[in-house]
Every structure is written in structure tokens, then in C-alpha cells.
Amino acid sequence: MALMNPFMSTRPSLTKTLGITQPIPTAKTTTTVISLSKPFKISHKSTKRKTQRANAIAEIGSGVWPIDAKEDDRVLLDPGSEAEGRGEREIVKYDWTEEWYPLYLTKNLPDDAPLGLTVFDKPIVLYKDGDGVLRCHEDRCPHRLAKLSEGQLVDGRLECLYHGWQFEGEGKCIKIPQLPADAKIPRSACVKTYEVRDSQGVVWVWMSQKTPPNPDKLPWFENFARPGFTDVSTTHELPYDHSILLENLMDPAHVPISHDRTDWTAKREDAQPLLFEVTERTDRGFAGWWGREKDQSMPNFLRFEAPCVLQNNREIVDKDGEINYFSGLFLCRPCGQGKSMLIVRFGTTKRAPFAKFFPEWYFHQNAGKVFEQDMGFLSSQNEVLMKEKVPTKQLYINLRSSDTWVAEYRKWMDKVGHGMPYHFGHSTISLPQQPAVVEHAPAGLVASTSASLPAKGGIGSMHSPNYANRYFRHVIHCKECSSVVKAFETWKTRLSILALALTALAILASQKQWKAFFLLSTSLCLAGVYACSTAIALNTTNFIRTHRRL
């Protein structure tokens, strides 16, 4: 899902393709060829296949229709390779823990409370200690396994809310209220720690407990360091796997259909064939150019880099010859089975003039709308992959004119998936060893009240902990939007009270001119109440397609 860029406002005639020379960092890896235990059904003697029969047979509904195999070769991506045909595949050394994962936007980190997050199936807790230094531990108290993220900060120390054990920044336990005064704290009463870094406004975590952090693997984005570069950044929790999220983000073909008229960039009638050219492939990802077939140009540069970083960059030359840089940056963190978190960053060195007239929360709610437009079919796609238990090669029909990046990504997963907790590759698959743990929302008035802290939401459907709910997926992770919602709620309450008071004065007033004045003022207050309610709904209510039944 290539999200719409709030900055982009350029004319095609001014667009010029420029080279980007930044290479994909290449890890020192070993290459091994292994033989698969089960040969694939599709075998090819060469990459340029010779069609052995003129027609294939496809079942459509209850009928059987002939399909021209040569036409298939022209429009479909090759489902396999020569090595696959021999029952072989290439794998590279990979360990998912020896990577940096994006955790949170630095500006949205709470200053006075711990934050519970996950990377794959590993729960971690992130917080700032008394000196403002970022700290990260395993989100589990060694005493009775309670979540430390449910606790609180006391004098800069992390306190478990179950029995009050306190831990300092390096993970050492420094207080156990239940111990006698003369007893020493056991050495085993400490928590695992993880290294974190704040880089270009994003907090990253190194997940390995065995290997020291590798600074060369910490992503650096050249455009975001350019003078005058500004961005709009948002965070979203999503109810599907990170691989499906990445696949969706590197699929520009769906934008005109799925996001028709969402803003000024997506129009259904613009759906068309696309051009793709893969220019780089390494053990850590791939990169290449893409554009619209009718333009016969590829001005957009896409780069995927392990483990979960996707960039879509473009350079535009204006009429004065000045180069302007645009970036769509997607940082996708796996949060476990069927869950992911995405940090979206759209930035540019030349912001569109009209963008300054819109508040930042407007772009945030528009981004939420985009995700909700995709959420239904991406969640169902996640279910199908889990149920079918076969590689994507056996399920997808990949078109040359739209699905090149998707196929490249799944083939990359074939090479490194063995080093992940689970993966869905092009020709390989490894399912999670343990079933997903489903977290339910509180039930009943008492339970809802007990979960009414800012990190958990409050009473009412808007605040219920539910990944399909925009408030829970985005607003609680965004200081900008949460403060805006609270401000509108405050104004709504004040205007409602003022409207009641003015109505009472209108009733008590004896002169007509005063009655008219008070009634007019009441009307203006009610209009303000309606405007506040609309703004709150805009930030917290999910998008529903008009053609869907309610």
C-alpha cells in the first residue's frame, strides 16, 4: 500500500529520473545450497521456458476453460527458477535477533510511564529513566512473570505493580519490599536488557542477547538528513503479519482501486500497467525502479532492506533546475502472529504550498483511513496463508505489470526465512510453532473502568483495546492526535454547558432582543459542539466503504 504523499504536488513535465547511488549494505554471509525433501510440482529446464503444449486448463466456477500458455508467459511472472526445478534453493546465514528493529517515534514516547511493545514473540518494555536515558528490558518481572509495562516509574526506576520490585536502567533489582531489612537482594532478581538507539527521530532496539550491537546495521536515511527536509510521521498498530504489511506497501498497483478518492492522488480510472526494473539484489534485500507504463519512464526508486525497512524515493527537478527530494519511508515491526506495527514517514525538501493550511492531525487521520481501507482483505489474506500452509508460489498469481516487488520480497524470504521464528516465502514456508495468544478487551463496566488508564483507553467503544479500532491503533501512540482529541472533547463539554446556560437565559429574558441574542448565541454554541464532535469522530472513527451494508 503506497500511502498518499501529503507533500507531493508536481507536474509530470518537470519530472526527471536521477540516479541514486546509495548501495544496500551487504552482510558477510555464507551461501549454501540444500536439497529440498519434497520436489516442487513446477519444474523448468531454463529461465526462458519452451512451452511444451499450447494450452493449459483452468477451472473457473463449474466450467473448464482453455488458457493460452504463451499468453500466460507474457503476462505472468515466472513462478519458479531453474534451481527450484531441480529441487534446490539458496540460503544465507541469518539470525533475526541480530538486527535493529524500529520501536517508536521518539517524539511520542511517554515521559512518565513505561511502554509495552513486542518484536515477533518477544515482549519488551521501553521507558526513560530519571536522567532521560532510554532503557529497554524484557517485559517480565523475574518474581512472578508480571508485565513490567503495567507498572510505573518511581524516581526514574521501573517498578513492578504486582509486588513493588524496582529495577534500575541496567536491569539490576534494587528494591524488594518483602525482604527483611538485613537480607540481600538475590543476584538472580534482575531482568534481561536490550540495547536501544535513538536515530533520526526513531527508537531502534537490538534484539540479540549474545551478539553485541552492530552499528553498521543501524539504518540511516540520507534524504531525512538533507537541509530543509520536513516530514509527517505516524504510527499504526495493525491486525496482520508484518510480511503481509510489507507486501502491501510495495504494491503501488492497488492504490487507485483500494484508495479511490481518499485524497487528491488516488483515482480509480488511473489503474494501469506498471513498469519495474530490479537493479540490485543482495542477501539483505533488493532495489529497483518503477513507473507507469503509459509514461514509459520509471522515476520512482524502491529499496527494501532487512529486516523490515522499505523506502520509496523520488527526485524532481523544478523549472529552475533545483532538485527536490521526496521520500516515503515505511518501518515495519513484527509484533507476533497476525500483528504488526508500522511507522510511516513522508518527507520532502519542498512541501506543497497547500499542505501548510492543514493541521498535522488531518494527515494522521487520512493515513488511518488508508489502512482501514486495506484492513479487511489483508486480514483475510493472513488467515488464508495460515490455513493453506503452502508457499505463496502455490497461491499467488503474480503479474509482470504489477507484482514484481511482491515476488522479489517473497523470494528473499526463501533465503533468510530459516533464521526467523516463522515465515511465508515464495517456495518455502515455516509456520509458528506455538499458536497465537489472543488478548481480549475488558468485559463489563468494572473491567472497563479498571482499564481506563491512558495507555489502555477508557469506557466506551472508542477506547476499547481492539486492533480494529482507530483510537487504539493510532491515537494512543500519537501525542499530537491524543492531545487534539482531548482538546476537542474539552471544548465540546464547555460549549454544551454554555449552550444550556444561554438557553436558560433566553427563557428568563423578558425583552425580545435579548431572547433573540441568547438564542442566536445558543445556536452558535451548538454549531461548535457539532464541529467538535465531527473532529473527534474524524480522528477516532473507522472508515467504512459506502457500498458496504451496515
Side-chain angles (χ1 to χ4, degrees):
M1 172 189 51
L3 293 178
M4 278 114 278
N5 191 335
F7 300 106
M8 188 75 78
S9 177
T10 58
R11 294 176 291 177
S13 60
L14 300 179
T15 302
K16 179 180 178 182
T17 301
L18 298 173
I20 295 180
T21 58
Q22 181 184 357
I24 297 179
T26 304
K28 295 182 179 180
T29 58
T30 58
T31 301
T32 308
V33 177
I34 66 171
S35 177
L36 298 180
S37 58
K38 293 183 180 180
F40 292 107
K41 295 180 180 180
I42 301 176
S43 178
H44 309 290
K45 296 299 182 183
S46 67
T47 54
K48 294 183 178 180
R49 295 178 295 173
K50 294 182 179 180
T51 306
Q52 296 181 352
R53 59 176 182 172
N55 294 294
I57 301 296
E59 296 184 5
I60 303 177
S62 59
V64 179
W65 301 88
I67 298 177
D68 191 324
K70 291 183 178 179
E71 183 66 16
D72 278 2
D73 290 343
R74 191 176 74 86
V75 301
L76 299 182
L77 284 169
D78 191 342
S81 64
E82 187 175 357
E84 288 178 25
R86 296 193 302 267
E88 301 172 348
R89 71 180 176 96
E90 180 187 24
I91 63 172
V92 298
K93 182 181 179 182
Y94 190 79
D95 184 344
W96 74 271
T97 66
E98 296 179 3
E99 298 283 4
W100 293 97
Y101 290 86
L103 288 181
Y104 226 63
L105 285 170
T106 308
K107 66 180 182 180
N108 287 331
L109 279 175
D111 296 319
D112 56 355
L115 181 66
L117 303 167
T118 58
V119 180
F120 277 116
D121 59 344
K122 300 295 184 183
I124 58 178
V125 56
L126 179 68
Y127 68 98
K128 295 179 181 179
D129 66 14
D131 297 323
V133 178
L134 289 172
R135 303 291 186 178
C136 186
H137 307 310
E138 182 180 28
D139 195 7
R140 188 174 75 181
C141 181
H143 178 213
R144 295 270 288 280
L145 312 182
K147 281 190 173 185
L148 292 173
S149 58
E150 298 285 348
Q152 58 188 344
L153 297 180
V154 179
D155 297 327
R157 300 186 296 270
L158 182 60
E159 181 183 86
C160 178
L161 206 57
Y162 198 0
H163 294 92
W165 290 29
Q166 292 184 3
F167 304 89
E168 51 85 42
E170 298 299 328
K172 181 181 178 181
C173 183
I174 58 175
K175 181 179 180 180
I176 299 179
Q178 295 78 23
L179 279 182
D182 58 346
K184 292 185 178 180
I185 296 176
R187 291 185 178 181
S188 58
C190 60
V191 291
K192 294 180 181 179
T193 62
Y194 295 95
E195 292 288 336
V196 288
R197 297 283 189 278
D198 182 355
S199 177
Q200 294 183 295
V202 176
V203 179
W204 301 79
V205 62
W206 178 263
M207 288 302 296
S208 177
Q209 293 278 310
K210 302 176 181 178
T211 307
N214 184 347
D216 294 333
K217 285 188 175 182
L218 185 64
W220 177 262
F221 307 106
E222 184 179 357
N223 280 352
F224 283 77
R226 295 185 186 278
F229 195 89
T230 58
D231 70 284
V232 171
S233 301
T234 61
T235 304
H236 306 267
E237 284 190 89
L238 298 164
Y240 40 83
D241 188 72
H242 81 286
S243 67
I244 291 177
L245 172 59
L246 276 166
E247 181 184 286
N248 179 238
L249 292 167
M250 59 180 70
D251 173 24
H254 85 284
V255 173
I257 303 296
S258 300
H259 310 304
D260 180 32
R261 298 321 195 268
T262 298
D263 63 7
W264 51 88
T265 61
K267 297 179 181 179
R268 187 179 186 84
E269 56 269 24
D270 287 341
Q272 60 189 280
L274 303 174
L275 296 175
F276 299 90
E277 181 185 359
V278 181
T279 57
E280 302 174 36
R281 288 189 183 96
T282 74
D283 294 341
R284 293 192 56 76
F286 58 89
W289 298 87
W290 68 274
R292 300 187 300 181
E293 185 182 73
K294 74 174 185 179
D295 297 334
Q296 288 300 301
S297 66
M298 294 182 286
N300 306 291
F301 186 77
L302 178 140
R303 181 184 297 279
F304 167 73
E305 184 178 340
C308 48
V309 174
L310 182 69
Q311 297 183 67
N312 200 8
N313 298 325
R314 188 169 181 175
E315 298 177 7
I316 296 178
V317 181
D318 62 20
K319 60 183 179 181
D320 298 324
E322 181 183 358
I323 301 176
N324 299 305
Y325 300 88
F326 297 87
S327 282
L329 177 62
F330 307 98
L331 309 176
C332 311
R333 172 163 49 85
C335 297
Q337 299 174 49
K339 295 185 293 184
S340 56
M341 178 172 273
L342 171 67
I343 296 175
V344 184
R345 307 190 74 182
F346 275 121
T348 180
T349 53
K350 185 177 182 181
R351 194 173 187 181
F354 60 84
K356 66 181 68 173
F357 297 107
F358 292 88
E360 187 170 333
W361 61 262
Y362 172 81
F363 296 114
H364 289 205
Q365 66 83 27
N366 196 67
K369 184 192 301 183
V370 170
F371 286 111
E372 288 148 13
Q373 290 170 341
D374 286 343
M375 194 178 298
F377 50 77
L378 293 182
S379 297
S380 64
Q381 181 184 355
N382 203 139
E383 292 180 14
V384 171
L385 286 175
M386 292 296 293
K387 290 178 181 178
E388 293 289 341
K389 299 180 175 63
V390 295
T392 60
K393 181 180 71 172
Q394 301 181 35
L395 297 172
Y396 290 5
I397 300 176
N398 286 328
L399 299 177
R400 293 181 183 275
S401 57
S402 62
D403 302 316
T404 296
W405 304 139
V406 173
E408 286 290 328
Y409 173 62
R410 293 298 179 182
K411 288 178 181 178
W412 176 80
M413 292 285 275
D414 285 340
K415 292 200 294 185
V416 305
H418 64 91
M420 298 181 180
Y422 61 90
H423 83 282
F424 303 95
H426 175 70
S427 303
T428 61
I429 185 174
S430 62
L431 295 175
Q433 295 182 357
Q434 297 178 346
V437 176
V438 179
E439 297 183 3
H440 297 282
L445 179 61
V446 175
S448 295
T449 304
S450 66
S452 60
L453 294 175
K456 288 294 184 181
I459 302 175
S461 59
M462 183 179 80
H463 304 283
S464 62
N466 184 340
Y467 279 115
N469 182 286
R470 188 185 297 184
Y471 185 91
F472 188 69
R473 286 187 294 101
H474 168 69
V475 175
I476 65 170
H477 298 296
C478 177
K479 287 185 177 180
E480 168 78 13
C481 291
S482 59
S483 62
V484 164
V485 169
K486 290 177 181 177
F488 278 124
E489 287 177 333
T490 300
W491 277 105
K492 179 182 175 181
T493 301
R494 292 175 177 175
L495 289 172
S496 298
I497 295 172
L498 184 57
L500 287 174
L502 290 170
T503 302
L505 291 174
I507 294 173
L508 296 175
S510 57
Q511 297 182 6
K512 290 183 179 181
Q513 61 269 32
W514 282 108
K515 282 183 179 290
F517 172 76
F518 288 133
L519 289 175
L520 178 60
S521 300
T522 300
S523 301
L524 292 176
C525 288
L526 292 176
V529 170
Y530 177 78
C532 290
S533 299
T534 301
I536 293 170
L538 201 61
N539 282 278
T540 60
T541 304
N542 282 13
F543 169 85
I544 299 177
R545 297 187 187 276
T546 54
H547 69 272
R548 302 291 294 180
R549 291 185 180 180
L550 298 181

